[in-house]
C-alpha cells in the first residue's frame, strides 16, 4: 500500500512494489485526502525504490500527482526510479533518468 508522510517541508509519497490498476482507486483516494494548499510542505517527493511492476493506469496516477503538485506551486521529484518505471516512462516519451521536476 502507498504511504504518505510529511516531514521537514516534504510530502513523501512512498510507492509499493506493485503499482497496478487494482491499486489506483485506493491510492487516488489517499492522494485526494492530501491538503495540497498546506504550507507544511513545498516539495512532493515520490519514492519509487520498491517498485518492481507498474502499469499505464498507475503511471497516469503518478503523472496526475506531478500535475497537481505543479498546480499548487509545489516542486515534484521522483526518486529511485527503477527499470519498471523507466520502461513505462519511455512508453510515454518521458525521461526519468533524472528526477522529474
Amino acid at each position: 500500500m502507498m504511504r504518505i508522510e510529511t516531514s521537514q517541508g516534504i510530502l513523501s509519497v512512498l510507492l509499493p512494489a506493485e503499482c497496478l490498476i487494482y491499486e489506483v482507486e485506493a491510492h487516488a483516494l489517499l492522494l485526494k485526502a492530501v491538503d495540497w494548499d498546506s504550507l507544511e510542505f513545498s516539495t512532493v517527493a515520490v519514492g519509487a525504490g520498491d517498485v518492481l511492476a507498474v502499469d499505464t493506469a498507475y503511471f497516469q496516477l503518478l503523472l496526475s500527482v506531478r500535475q497537481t503538485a505543479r498546480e499548487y506551486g509545489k516542486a515534484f521529484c521522483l526518486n529511485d526510479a527503477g527499470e519498471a518505471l523507466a520502461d513505462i516512462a519511455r512508453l510515454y516519451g518521458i525521461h526519468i533518468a533524472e528526477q522529474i521536476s
Side-chain angles (χ1 to χ4, degrees):
M1 181 61 110
M2 172 191 288
R3 291 189 340 261
I4 300 175
E5 305 166 353
T6 304
S7 177
Q8 299 178 350
I10 298 173
L11 177 77
S12 297
V13 179
L14 306 169
L15 302 180
E18 292 189 343
C19 297
L20 303 173
I21 192 169
Y22 66 87
E23 295 282 7
V24 169
E25 185 175 357
H27 293 182
L29 289 173
L30 287 174
L31 292 163
K32 188 175 182 178
V34 170
D35 179 7
W36 292 95
D37 277 327
S38 175
L39 298 177
E40 281 188 57
F41 65 95
S42 60
T43 300
V44 177
V46 176
D50 292 337
V51 175
L52 300 174
V54 62
D55 63 14
T56 56
Y58 204 96
F59 191 69
Q60 290 173 349
L61 177 65
L62 295 177
L63 294 176
S64 176
V65 170
R66 181 178 70 169
Q67 182 61 34
T68 301
R70 287 181 176 169
E71 287 173 5
Y72 284 90
K74 312 290 185 182
F76 177 90
C77 61
L78 177 63
N79 299 315
D80 303 322
E83 197 58 36
L85 273 168
D87 287 345
I88 196 101
R90 277 192 290 277
L91 178 67
Y92 276 87
I94 296 172
H95 302 285
I96 61 169
E98 303 169 23
Q99 294 179 340
I100 296 173
S101 57

